Amino acid sequence: MAERNADQQHEDQLRGGADSAGIGRYLMHRAKPHLPPWLGVAGTGLAGALGHLRWADSSGAGVGLTLASVALTGATWWAGRGTSAQRRLHSAITVAAGSAWLTGACLAGPTAGPLDDLYLMAGPGLALSWNVRMILRRNPDAAGESAGADKGLLEKVGLAKASIGRTEVGPNRVTAQLGLEAGEQTNDDVTKTLPRIASALDLPPTAVRYMPDPESARRGELVIVPRDMLADTVRWEENGPSLAGGSITEPLTIGVYDDGSPLQLWLPGDKEAGRNATHLLIAGMTGSGKGDGALNLMTEILSRTDVLFWLSDPKGFQDFRPLLPAIDWAVEGGADTEVMVETVKAVIPARTAWLGEHSYRQWEAAAAQRQTDPKHSCRKDGTACGCPGLPFHIVWFEEAGVSLGLLGDDAFNSIANLARSAGMALVVSLQRPSHDQISTTTRDALGARLCFGVPNATAAGFMLPDSVVDAGAAPERWSNRRPGYCYLVTPGVAEERYSSPGRTRWFTDTAVSLMETVAQWAARNGAQVDPVTEKAAASVAGTAYTQRQTNETDENAHLPADEDEDEMTGPLLDPEDEGIDPEQELPDSEPGDDAPLFGQETGRKPSPEEARRLFGDALAEFEDEGRMVVGPKDFTDWCDRNNLSRSWVSLRLKEAALDGRLEPTNQTGRWRIVPALAAA
């Protein structure tokens, strides 16, 4: 519309004002853009005449004017380095000629010798050269050739009726506005042609992306990255953590995008930035670089000063062992992870209650500090409460497919849906987040995705939204041939970035020493567990949490025992036989002590009082070992030692639950031991 209005105005100017006044206005209007060079020539002549009146026959002025002429010409050449070579040379010649004539005119006079002739001939010549350059600046033929080239490309890929609008060219990124034929083409048509566009431009398929306009079905941005800047691997130890000593609210930098910009994500929310808190799902096939990606993120997290970190790793901390001193609680898989999940369930409401009492609608950096602001006081009188802060809390489940196989598909559902409101984030890492590995409910609750190479498009669909795949994201094209290549979908990152590939940094053997340094620094300077989280965790995990040893290791814990020494120093009497008087008569037989009849269950039947004592001892034994989630199968060895049956144990479990010593879990037949002090 604006273009038609301009053409109409131009046509009106050509047709209107046929009298002499109208013709004069039209000529002046057309001449105005070409006047600056002529004004420059006139100004130079006037300056020469005035300069001669002041500096005639002055040797000092001659030196000064000569130096000024040389300096001005050099400055013009330097300033034109960002323009074309022709424009730079043209500008330098014009300034050099004008300043040389001005110097001669000021010293000898504008009419001395050939100066007046040079002025009359060279001045108009230079002005006209700039007029010609201005006229040729608009080249409809060249524009037509460019448009024809674009049309040729679009025609080749089946988008002949599409038009290319405004185009932005960056250092390694070309973004073009694309408009499709109304009623005949949609954004889906562009998505289908992306591989053909990459073929026409001789680029990798992942170098061409399309971001549809959410408010239009036929408009969007075509993004082309000519050069893959991810080909050169970057070692993590070259730079280390991006912001050691900073806050977890600052971006976590884990690599770079293919155009060289940083690959970043956030876990806490930010109401001012309009960013929601999120959990993170990490997935990728074996050899895709998922382990190095996890180390990038973990070292970023542990280098911040207001975050608490828990880790579950069924692989025995194979990749993360150098970082253990910085981790508040680290457990291996199986029953220990089961205890951690139950603990997180109890920690969530405790932390949520604290945030509510201190007037935080969501966790923010101020919540991690001592509460000296009356606006965040839990006191009813409105004065500052001075309560200890509540650090952000991250719970990381490595190789979660193994844990979910033991705990069940719904193990993470409740904590995934509620943890964000408690200032907590879950990081779940596994190879393939298919429905047989993780429930759809849990997967949907993990809002952010870090997807490394996968074996096929089906696996990519489990990780990436359909809109991102349609825009050109295809991690299956890398598989495990390009370790570290990934896609990041997360709040806080522009949606057009979702389909841009990135690459995480590479951890080598030489990175171990720096990782250990980061861990030791974090152990001294990082956040300590807050009273609210510690109390809630101890109420569920008991000694499994209160006696955790993640910040120090026992050097002799894994050394084999000296068998000869045990034989020489160990007691000669079985501990179970201590206190038995060898002269005392043997006790009478009890029911079940003899061989069972057909259909009768093995094992004796203790009295109710003895049953409560025996079972209480068993629960205390499990609690001392840190095994806080139990079921009938966990009592197998204990039943053998005490000559009791598993069916007897099942009855005792139900009785203990009624007494408050056990709490049911989400899994059928599994019970959580309530620590003895908490039960009392």
Side-chain angles (χ1 to χ4, degrees):
M1 179 67 70
E3 187 174 338
R4 287 198 299 269
N5 291 338
D7 293 340
Q8 184 64 39
Q9 184 179 3
H10 181 62
E11 185 68 20
D12 292 341
Q13 290 175 347
L14 292 176
R15 292 185 177 182
D19 56 358
S20 59
I23 294 174
R25 285 195 301 269
Y26 170 73
L27 292 176
M28 180 58 67
H29 176 76
R30 300 296 293 178
K32 280 190 295 186
H34 303 282
L35 288 179
W38 295 94
L39 294 176
V41 171
T44 302
L46 180 61
L50 295 177
H52 178 65
L53 294 177
R54 183 174 182 85
W55 296 314
D57 301 326
S58 173
S59 59
V63 174
L65 288 171
T66 302
L67 293 176
S69 175
V70 174
L72 182 59
T73 303
T76 303
W77 180 260
W78 175 83
R81 68 190 187 282
T83 63
S84 63
Q86 297 87 349
R87 188 179 188 87
R88 188 182 191 187
L89 183 61
H90 192 183
S91 301
I93 291 175
T94 301
V95 172
S99 58
W101 185 90
L102 180 62
T103 300
C106 289
L107 298 178
T111 59
L115 290 179
D116 52 351
D117 294 328
L118 288 174
Y119 179 79
L120 294 175
M121 290 186 292
L126 287 174
L128 285 171
S129 69
W130 282 102
N131 292 158
V132 171
R133 187 180 189 91
M134 184 176 296
I135 293 172
L136 296 180
R137 182 182 301 172
R138 183 180 179 184
N139 186 357
D141 294 335
E145 291 173 4
S146 176
D150 294 338
K151 280 293 183 181
L153 172 62
L154 296 177
E155 186 176 358
K156 283 182 180 180
V157 299
L159 299 174
K161 295 184 179 181
S163 61
I164 294 181
R166 181 172 56 88
T167 302
E168 297 179 359
V169 180
N172 188 43
R173 186 184 181 93
V174 178
T175 304
Q177 302 291 335
L178 198 63
L180 305 175
E181 182 70 13
E184 296 188 16
Q185 296 172 320
T186 66
N187 290 325
D188 291 339
D189 296 324
V190 182
T191 300
K192 296 175 183 177
T193 64
L194 292 180
R196 295 199 294 273
I197 295 176
S199 174
L201 298 175
D202 194 18
L203 293 173
T206 55
V208 181
R209 277 99 64 178
Y210 181 69
M211 294 302 303
D213 186 344
E215 298 181 357
S216 174
R218 63 181 185 90
R219 297 187 183 277
E221 287 186 346
L222 185 65
V223 180
I224 300 173
V225 180
R227 184 170 65 90
D228 185 6
M229 299 184 68
L230 305 179
D232 298 330
T233 58
V234 178
R235 297 173 183 265
W236 172 81
E237 58 268 26
E238 292 180 4
N239 298 310
S242 65
L243 191 62
S247 171
I248 191 64
T249 57
E250 299 296 327
L252 304 170
T253 303
I254 60 175
V256 295
Y257 283 106
D258 58 351
D259 61 356
S261 56
L263 182 68
Q264 297 177 329
L265 61 92
W266 292 261
L267 293 176
D270 187 341
K271 58 183 179 182
E272 294 184 358
R275 185 184 69 247
N276 292 325
T278 188
H279 307 310
L280 177 65
L281 176 63
I282 305 175
M285 64 185 300
T286 301
S288 64
K290 180 168 63 71
D292 280 0
L295 284 172
N296 274 279
L297 180 58
M298 192 176 294
T299 51
E300 283 288 292
I301 293 171
L302 295 177
S303 66
R304 309 302 170 89
T305 58
D306 52 2
V307 58
L308 189 70
F309 195 91
W310 289 0
L311 170 65
S312 164
D313 185 6
K315 296 188 300 182
F317 319 118
Q318 181 179 7
D319 295 329
F320 309 128
R321 187 163 296 277
L323 299 174
L324 286 182
I327 299 175
D328 180 69
W329 189 19
V331 300
E332 297 187 18
D336 292 337
T337 297
E338 194 173 10
V339 173
M340 179 174 282
V341 171
E342 294 298 320
T343 303
V344 172
K345 291 180 183 178
V347 165
I348 289 174
R351 291 174 59 92
T352 304
W354 187 95
L355 290 171
E357 291 171 356
H358 290 83
S359 303
Y360 289 103
R361 296 193 63 183
Q362 67 174 352
W363 187 93
E364 55 188 76
Q369 309 301 322
R370 184 169 294 277
Q371 302 303 294
T372 58
D373 188 346
K375 293 190 303 183
H376 296 293
S377 174
C378 61
R379 293 180 179 176
K380 295 182 179 180
D381 58 5
T383 60
C385 60
C387 293
L390 189 79
F392 195 73
H393 192 173
I394 294 176
V395 186
W396 186 304
F397 294 95
E398 182 67 17
E399 293 296 343
V402 177
S403 301
L404 287 168
L406 297 173
L407 305 182
D409 291 341
D410 298 331
F412 294 161
N413 280 353
S414 58
I415 59 178
N417 290 321
L418 300 175
R420 289 190 302 125
S421 61
M424 302 178 68
L426 306 182
V427 179
V428 177
S429 175
L430 69 170
Q431 292 189 13
R432 180 184 172 92
S434 54
H435 63 275
D436 58 340
Q437 292 286 317
I438 185 171
S439 69
T440 304
T441 303
T442 302
R443 190 172 63 211
D444 291 343
L446 304 174
R449 312 291 175 85
L450 182 60
C451 179
F452 291 86
V454 295
N456 49 55
T458 302
F462 291 133
M463 279 293 290
L464 300 176
D466 293 341
S467 59
V468 178
V469 174
D470 292 342
E476 70 275 8
R477 293 193 179 115
W478 309 320
S479 186
N480 57 1
R481 294 183 297 275
R482 296 185 180 180
Y485 277 58
C486 58
Y487 290 103
L488 176 62
V489 177
T490 183
V493 174
E495 291 187 5
E496 56 266 23
R497 281 287 188 188
Y498 290 173
S499 58
S500 298
R503 189 174 193 178
T504 57
R505 293 168 294 182
W506 184 28
F507 280 74
T508 64
D509 293 339
T510 59
V512 174
S513 60
L514 182 55
M515 292 169 62
E516 293 173 343
T517 301
V518 170
Q520 294 297 335
W521 179 91
R524 295 190 302 269
N525 302 284
Q528 301 299 316
V529 62
D530 58 279
V532 173
T533 303
E534 185 174 30
K535 181 180 179 180
S539 69
V540 174
T543 57
Y545 184 74
T546 58
Q547 297 181 11
R548 66 197 184 284
Q549 295 182 352
T550 57
N551 295 336
E552 57 182 5
T553 58
D554 184 356
E555 296 181 356
N556 299 321
H558 303 289
L559 296 179
D562 191 335
E563 298 180 359
D564 295 336
E565 183 178 353
D566 289 343
E567 291 180 358
M568 296 298 296
T569 60
L572 299 179
L573 183 65
D574 193 323
E576 295 183 358
D577 295 335
E578 291 183 1
I580 297 179
D581 185 358
E583 303 297 332
Q584 185 179 0
E585 296 288 337
L586 293 175
D588 296 334
S589 61
E590 298 183 24
D593 284 347
D594 54 353
L597 300 175
F598 178 77
Q600 180 181 349
E601 204 171 31
T602 60
R604 65 186 182 87
K605 307 296 183 183
S607 65
E609 181 179 355
E610 184 182 5
R612 285 192 294 272
R613 179 183 62 79
L614 285 172
F615 196 74
D617 292 344
L619 294 181
E621 181 179 338
F622 285 128
E623 184 178 349
D624 290 340
E625 295 175 359
R627 299 169 60 183
M628 303 301 292
V629 178
V630 295
K633 65 180 182 180
D634 297 298
F635 287 82
T636 301
D637 294 339
W638 184 84
C639 288
D640 293 340
R641 291 198 307 268
N642 293 276
N643 195 26
L644 295 170
S645 65
R646 289 183 60 181
S647 60
W648 181 88
V649 168
S650 298
L651 294 175
R652 300 291 82 75
L653 288 170
K654 295 179 181 179
E655 291 178 359
L658 295 175
D659 293 339
R661 189 70 168 93
L662 297 177
E663 289 285 345
T665 67
N666 289 343
Q667 292 181 271
T668 304
R670 302 294 289 172
W671 306 82
R672 175 173 64 82
I673 299 175
V674 178
L677 292 178

